[in-house]
Amino acid sequence: MMDLNTSRCWAEIDLDALLENARTLHGLIPGGCRLMHILKADAYGHGAVSAARVLDGAWPEDWIGVACLSEALELRESGNRQEILILGFTPPEAAELLARRGITQTLLSPGYARALAACAGAAGVQVSCHLKVDTGMTRIGYSGYGEALSSAIAEAAAAYRSPALKVTGIYTHFSSSYGSAPEDVDYTRTQFSRFLAFCRALEKAGIPPGLRHCCNSPAAVNTPEYALELCRVGTVLYGLLPDSAMVRPTSFRPVMTWKARVVQRRTVSPGTPVSYGRQAAAEDPMELAVISAGDADGYPRSLTNLGRVSIRGQICPVVGRVCMDMFMADVSRIPEVSEGDEVVLLGGTGPGAVPCRWLYGPLGLGPSAITCGVRGRVPRIYLPRT
C-alpha cells in the first residue's frame, strides 16, 4: 500500500461504492436480466482487474465488456473466468486465440464475419460471437433499417449458420439515450423497434438470436423496459452518469476520488500575473495554493481559469494556466490552508465534493473523458470493502 503521507497525487477507488452502484442497477432492471460491466479503458481509469475481481465475487453470472483483445487478455491473465465480449475490432487472424481463451467477439459487419469465419475454419476452431446491429448509431454493425435491411438479415443468418462461428447473442447501441428531450426519447424508441424487428426476422428464419442487449447506462436507468437479457453499464457503474441523463431519481456514488496536495501557500499583490502566459492576474491581494497535480497527471490544461477544487471542505477556483505538474487555486477565503493539505480534484462527498461535471462540463466532454484521462503515473489506492 502506498504511503499517503509522502504522495503528491493519487486516486482513491472506493470498491464499496462500485458494489453499491452495481447493486442499485441490479435492482432497477427486470428479474432475469443480467448486467454487462463495461471495463474498457482500464475500467474508465478505475482499474479493470480490481473492478472485475470485486464484481465477479458478487455476480459471477454477469458479463464483462471491453474494447479490444489486449483488455480481454489482461482480465483472463488475472484469473477472471466471466464471459467477456470484445465490443470493437480484433484482427480475424486472432481467431484461434479468441477461441482458446474463451473470449466472445463482436461481428462488426458481414465482411468481418466472413473473414473471422475463414480464419477460425483454417485454425480448426469455433469462435463465440455476438452480432452487432446498427439501428441508427451509424457506426459499426449490420444495417438494421433502410434499403440494406433485407440483405443484412440474410448475411446475419449466414453468420449464425457458419460452423466456424458460434453466435450466442445480438445487440445494438442507442445513440440518444443520454438525452431526455422528446426527440431523443422518440429516436431511442425507434432504435429499439428496429432492433426487435431484426431479431424477429431471424426467428422467422428459424434462428434463435440468443442473448439480446441494447441498453447502455442511461437506458438501463431510465427505460428498463428495453433491458431484454443484458444491460451494458459503464459510466453509471462508476457514478459518472450526468444529471441531465437522469430521468428516474436514482442515486449513484462516485467511485473515484482524485487528490493532490498543497505544496506552497503564497500571497500575491494586485496586478501580479499568475502562471504561463499571464492569463490571470490578481485584482486584489490574493492567497494562492500551489497544487501538486497538472496536465501530465491528467488534470486538463483547458481548465485554466475554469476548474474548481476542494480544500478543507471549501471550493476554490483555479487561477491561471494549468501547468504540466502543478497549478494554482485561490484560497483567499480559507486562512487555515497550509502546505501539505489534501486537495480534492474530483469526487468526494458533502459540501466539499467536486462533481465530475465541474471538470467535463466547461470543456464539452463526456464524464468518462475525465476519469479515463487520469494518467498512469497517478497511483490508484483501492479502499478495502467494508
Side-chain angles (χ1 to χ4, degrees), residues 33-57:
C33 182
R34 287 177 283 173
L35 294 181
M36 180 181 290
H37 306 123
I38 304 303
L39 303 184
K40 63 183 179 179
D42 200 26
Y44 291 48
H46 294 74
V49 170
S50 295
R53 188 172 295 124
V54 169
L55 294 167
D56 179 24

Side-chain angles (χ1 to χ4, degrees), residues 258 294-301 370 373-375 378:
W258 185 13
D295 183 65
D297 299 295
Y299 196 85
R301 177 164 293 189
I370 300 302
V374 179
R375 305 289 173 79
V378 178

Side-chain angles (χ1 to χ4, degrees), residues 34-40 43 48-49 51-57 59-68 71-76 78-87 102-104 106 130 213 230-233 237-238:
R34 287 177 283 173
L35 294 181
M36 180 181 290
H37 306 123
I38 304 303
L39 303 184
K40 63 183 179 179
V49 170
R53 188 172 295 124
V54 169
L55 294 167
D56 179 24
W59 298 281
E61 72 283 359
D62 282 350
W63 280 60
I64 289 172
V66 296
C68 57
E71 293 177 342
L73 292 175
E74 178 187 32
L75 292 169
R76 283 288 182 256
S78 75
N80 185 277
R81 291 295 173 264
Q82 289 175 278
E83 298 282 3
I84 298 177
L85 173 65
I86 295 177
L87 300 163
I103 298 166
T104 302
T106 291
H130 282 196
H213 47 111
L230 276 175
C231 287
R232 303 184 306 274
V233 290
L237 188 63
Y238 309 106

Side-chain angles (χ1 to χ4, degrees), residues 74-275:
E74 178 187 32
L75 292 169
R76 283 288 182 256
E77 289 161 7
S78 75
N80 185 277
R81 291 295 173 264
Q82 289 175 278
E83 298 282 3
I84 298 177
L85 173 65
I86 295 177
L87 300 163
F89 175 80
T90 298
E93 294 77 13
E96 189 276 334
L97 181 57
L98 288 167
R100 177 161 46 88
R101 300 310 297 266
I103 298 166
T104 302
Q105 171 60 41
T106 291
L107 297 180
L108 313 174
S109 68
Y112 179 82
R114 290 191 292 271
L116 184 62
C119 290
V125 299
Q126 187 181 54
V127 178
S128 293
C129 303
H130 282 196
L131 188 141
K132 178 69 179 292
V133 182
D134 173 25
T135 59
M137 180 73 178
T138 320
R139 201 164 61 178
I140 58 171
Y142 289 62
S143 295
Y145 61 103
E147 296 179 357
L149 177 59
S150 295
S151 61
I153 292 170
E155 293 273 16
Y160 272 88
R161 292 177 177 136
S162 171
L165 304 177
K166 183 180 180 182
V167 186
T168 62
I170 186 169
Y171 72 103
T172 193
H173 189 69
F174 293 145
S175 72
S176 303
S177 56
Y178 280 87
S180 57
E183 56 269 27
D184 293 326
V185 173
D186 288 345
Y187 195 74
T188 300
R189 186 183 301 113
T190 296
Q191 285 193 262
F192 184 64
S193 297
R194 289 170 174 171
F195 179 66
L196 290 184
F198 198 101
C199 293
R200 284 194 297 268
L202 289 174
E203 291 169 343
K204 188 176 180 180
I207 298 172
L211 292 173
R212 300 168 302 162
H213 47 111
C214 53
C215 283
N216 50 13
S217 285
V221 174
N222 296 326
T223 54
E225 63 271 22
Y226 297 163
L228 303 176
E229 287 81 48
L230 276 175
C231 287
R232 303 184 306 274
V233 290
T235 51
V236 71
L237 188 63
Y238 309 106
L240 297 174
L241 188 63
D243 291 344
S244 60
M246 299 291 285
V247 175
R248 298 174 67 189
T250 307
S251 177
F252 294 96
R253 290 171 54 193
V255 175
M256 178 186 291
T257 301
W258 185 13
K259 296 182 177 180
R261 294 194 183 277
V262 174
V263 297
Q264 185 178 7
R265 178 178 178 135
R266 56 185 306 151
T267 303
V268 296
S269 57
T272 302
V274 179
S275 194

